[in-house]
């Protein structure tokens, strides 16, 4: 008899407890459904949202340690505007040295990426040049596009490197200003003693 009440109690209790623990795919399915609805209402593709999330994680990670697994990006479509909501769990802020190092790492990544693109475009140009040398007709527009892409990527890399250097200089200047404010002015005190 005791077992019957125990089983009945567990069955009744199971109606009121969360089923997410029993079925972890339910949470994943709900998140996917929310993403699809969000994309439909706001007009963002899944790729655009994922790219935006990756860039935001990259930028915020320069300045603080975050729990990027629990990073949440939500876009809501209201009557006549779109609202972006972010939830970024911060572990701790980074020190100035860590920030400078993160900026340098990002600059190196950007430079490597630009070099890879340039190599890829150079390979395409060589292929087309070989085709031309073999007597095949070559599309001059394709060569012009490749050259423009190389020039644009070089300009973007230069601009990004310049911007990162300026940010680093601004950070250094603000540190120097703070240090100058913290140091007491002893010159006035020594004059009064004389």
């Amino acid at each position: 008899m005791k077992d019957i009440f125990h089983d009945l109690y567990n069955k009744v209790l199971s109606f009121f407890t969360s089923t997410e623990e029993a079925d972890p795919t339910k949470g994943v399915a709900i998140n996917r459904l929310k993403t699809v609805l969000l994309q439909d209402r706001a007009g963002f593709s899944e790729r655009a949202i994922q790219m935006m999330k990756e860039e935001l994680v990259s930028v915020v990670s320069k300045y603080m340690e975050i729990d990027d697994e629990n990073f949440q990006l939500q876009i809501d479509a209201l009557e006549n505007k779109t609202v972006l909501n972010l939830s970024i769990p911060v572990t701790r802020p980074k020190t100035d040295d860590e920030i400078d190092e993160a900026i340098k790492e990002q600059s190196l990544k950007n430079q490597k990426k630009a070099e890879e693109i340039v190599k890829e475009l150079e390979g395409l140009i060589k292929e087309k040049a070989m085709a031309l040398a073999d007597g095949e007709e070559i599309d001059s527009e394709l060569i012009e596009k490749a050259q423009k892409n190389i020039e644009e990527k070089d300009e973007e890399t230069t601009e990004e490197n310049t911007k990162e250097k300026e940010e680093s200089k601004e950070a250094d200047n603000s540190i120097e200003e703070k240090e100058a404010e913290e140091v007491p002015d002893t010159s006035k005190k020594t004059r009064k003693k004389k």
Side-chain angles (χ1 to χ4, degrees), residues 100-126:
D100 291 340
E101 186 64 30
I103 290 172
K104 287 177 187 176
E105 286 178 19
Q106 187 65 37
S107 177
L108 290 174
K109 285 180 186 177
N110 290 343
Q111 187 176 0
K112 286 181 182 178
K113 192 174 190 179
E115 288 172 0
E116 289 173 5
I117 292 170
V118 168
K119 285 180 183 178
E120 184 179 327
L121 292 174
E122 286 174 346
L124 288 171
I125 291 171
K126 286 179 183 178

Side-chain angles (χ1 to χ4, degrees), residues 113-126 142-158:
K113 192 174 190 179
E115 288 172 0
E116 289 173 5
I117 292 170
V118 168
K119 285 180 183 178
E120 184 179 327
L121 292 174
E122 286 174 346
L124 288 171
I125 291 171
K126 286 179 183 178
L142 183 62
I143 293 174
E144 288 176 19
K145 285 181 184 178
Q147 289 172 341
K148 285 181 184 178
N149 283 340
I150 291 171
E151 291 170 2
E152 288 173 1
K153 293 301 176 186
D154 285 342
E155 287 176 14
E156 288 176 11
T157 304
T158 304

Side-chain angles (χ1 to χ4, degrees), residues 35-50:
T35 302
V36 169
L37 290 172
L38 174 130
Q39 293 167 358
D40 186 45
R41 288 193 330 221
F44 286 96
S45 69
E46 185 175 346
R47 180 175 174 261
I49 292 172
Q50 187 61 33

